[in-house]
Every structure is written in C-alpha cells, then in structure tokens.
Amino acid sequence: MEYEYAYKVTNLDEYLTYLNDNFKYVEEYEERRTIYRNPNNTNARITYKKGKMTLDFKENKLSNEDLIVRKESKAIVFDDIDACEDILSFLGYIKDNSMLRNRIIYTGDNIKFEIDKYIEPEEAYVFSFEGDKDICDKVNEDLKELNNKYKKED
C-alpha cells in the first residue's frame, strides 16, 4: 500500500533546499512513462529509465487531495515492448497518455521523496513523498508553510 503526499507547485527551489538540509540525495534521471487504463480501476505503466523498460500496476485513484493511499505493484523488467503491449491489450488495458520528466530522488528513514520536473505533455513541477504514515504526516506538517506559498491550485 502506498501512502503518498503530492503537490503540484510553482517553484522547487525551497523544497530542494529543505531536502538538501535534511535528507540524503540519491539520484537524478530522465523518465518516459506511458499510462494504460483498464475499466477495473487499475493503471498499467510502462516506464523507460536508465536504459531499462519496466511494467507496474497501480490503483486508478485520481484525486485533488494532497494525500492519496492506494495499492501499487512492484515493477518487472522486460525487453519486448510489442509483447508487453499485446499482453496489456489482452487484459483490457487501453493506451491513454505519455509523459516525459526529470526526477530527483532523496531518502530518509522510511521516507522517499520524488521531485518531478515535467517536460511533456506540459511543463510542471511536482513535489511528492511516500513512506511510513507517521513520518510522512510529520514531514507534511513541516512543509505546511512552503506548500501554502507554492502549491498550485488547478
């Protein structure tokens, strides 16, 4: 089960300062993801990053809330996109959309931060973190001032 806070924000600079002061930088990479939707309220996601293709599944819970709790599978690595898309089609998944982004990862004890700079289909910034409920709730409270300052209202 994934316990995640996510914020679409107008600027990432102060968030990155907060992370650099309090957490461990792990890596940065470019990622392309294609989403496939199924009427059973799950998504399949084919992700290209660091020369590998992976497939995973996630509950299709869309929300405007800051916190979302949903089931998510582990990713499997594959090397034949046609076979993978054929299997998804057989299972009733329909290709929906694609995105390109740069992702920066930071970690701490039982928490992982994902800072996304979206390039396609539109430019946008997303600051998110997931992990242990108590730790995520505390970090969310610590970031209240920044979120009030930079959170983008759609």
Side-chain angles (χ1 to χ4, degrees), residues 127-140:
F127 180 84
S128 66
F129 50 97
E130 62 186 69
D132 179 78
K133 177 189 181 314
D134 293 335
I135 293 168
C136 287
D137 290 345
K138 182 189 178 315
V139 166
N140 190 59

Side-chain angles (χ1 to χ4, degrees), residues 2-30:
E2 177 184 59
Y3 189 88
E4 177 182 44
Y5 284 94
Y7 299 96
K8 193 171 188 180
V9 298
T10 58
N11 189 295
L12 290 169
D13 295 341
E14 289 187 61
Y15 289 97
L16 289 168
T17 298
Y18 169 81
L19 292 174
N20 283 318
D21 290 347
N22 297 288
F23 297 94
K24 180 184 174 202
Y25 170 84
V26 176
E27 64 182 332
E28 181 172 357
Y29 52 85
E30 185 176 272

Side-chain angles (χ1 to χ4, degrees), residues 47-102:
T47 304
Y48 301 87
K49 75 177 184 190
K50 298 192 257 180
K52 285 202 252 183
M53 289 186 287
T54 60
L55 170 67
D56 69 337
F57 298 87
K58 194 175 221 178
E59 282 184 305
N60 186 25
K61 288 185 178 179
L62 298 176
S63 170
N64 288 332
E65 299 297 316
D66 299 334
L67 172 65
I68 189 159
V69 179
R70 60 185 160 198
K71 293 178 186 172
E72 181 178 27
S73 77
K74 299 221 183 280
I76 57 171
V77 177
F78 68 94
D79 60 5
D80 186 337
I81 186 72
D82 292 330
C84 188
E85 286 187 325
D86 189 52
I87 291 167
L88 290 174
S89 177
F90 179 81
L91 294 172
Y93 286 88
I94 299 167
K95 187 185 277 189
D96 185 40
N97 63 331
S98 294
M99 65 185 76
L100 176 65
R101 65 186 171 197
N102 288 320

